[in-house]
Amino acid sequence: LTNKDYDKAVDAGLKLIRLNPRDYAARANLALAYSQSGQLDQAIAHYPEALKLAPGNAAVRLKLAETCEKAKKGDAAIDQYKQIMKKAPQDKNALIALAANSLKNKRYDEAIRLYSDIIKNQPRNASAYANLGLAYGGKGSAKEEIDAYRKSIALNPEDPVVHYNLAVAYEKQKR
């Protein structure tokens, strides 16, 4: 995988699995090789096989979630992120990914709850406030949207996108 020769990595992974079908790492690497080569459906089919052999492996589950996201299977990605959060509620990467995916899939109430959790643990996270603003905006809660953008700008005054989003939110509020 390090040489980016994914076809050879797929061939080697298939051979390793034939030799040792219980090798979860070989299955995970095979799925990764499929994912890196753009064969997302194949990757999505192989990650669960690795997880059957190593169900507590959060790294493999995270790769599965990311691959589902790349394949535009948002609900499947969210399910995987939620499973990570059940087993490792303190996993910041999974929490941020779950929040972002919830926002992307227009699950605004869930995104608001998740970004609020992130902010509780990381009160100086400007991008969490910005994304919280996006979630409130998607839900149609203009006051909360504006408040979140203002907090984001207070933490990171140089972010032009948040300034733009705040201006748009003020314009929406006028209507």
Side-chain angles (χ1 to χ4, degrees), residues 74-82 98 101-102 105 107 110:
D75 288 340
I78 287 171
D79 289 344
Q80 294 305 316
Y81 289 128
K82 284 181 178 178
L98 177 58
N101 206 285
S102 297
N105 286 287
R107 294 180 174 193
E110 184 173 340

Side-chain angles (χ1 to χ4, degrees), residues 108-122:
Y108 299 121
D109 288 328
E110 184 173 340
I112 289 166
R113 181 182 57 77
L114 293 166
Y115 280 115
S116 295
D117 287 349
I118 291 168
I119 290 165
K120 281 179 196 163
N121 294 316
Q122 301 173 31

Side-chain angles (χ1 to χ4, degrees), residues 21-89:
R22 307 235 1 111
D23 184 346
Y24 93 89
R27 291 186 180 278
N29 285 329
L30 174 61
L32 180 61
Y34 276 128
S35 178
Q36 296 297 323
S37 70
Q39 299 177 64
L40 302 178
D41 288 336
Q42 285 288 76
I44 291 169
H46 284 276
Y47 277 123
E49 294 301 316
L51 287 168
K52 284 180 191 171
L53 298 169
N57 191 315
V60 173
R61 193 167 299 282
L62 186 60
K63 285 294 183 188
L64 173 56
E66 291 168 352
T67 304
C68 289
E69 227 176 307
K70 277 196 247 177
K72 301 198 183 329
K73 297 180 180 195
D75 288 340
I78 287 171
D79 289 344
Q80 294 305 316
Y81 289 128
K82 284 181 178 178
Q83 286 189 44
I84 295 168
M85 295 306 303
K86 274 185 200 170
K87 292 180 179 170

Side-chain angles (χ1 to χ4, degrees), residues 15 24 48 66 79 90 97 131 146 154 158:
K15 287 177 186 171
Y24 93 89
E66 291 168 352
D79 289 344
Q90 67 279 30
N131 288 328
I146 290 168
E158 303 300 317

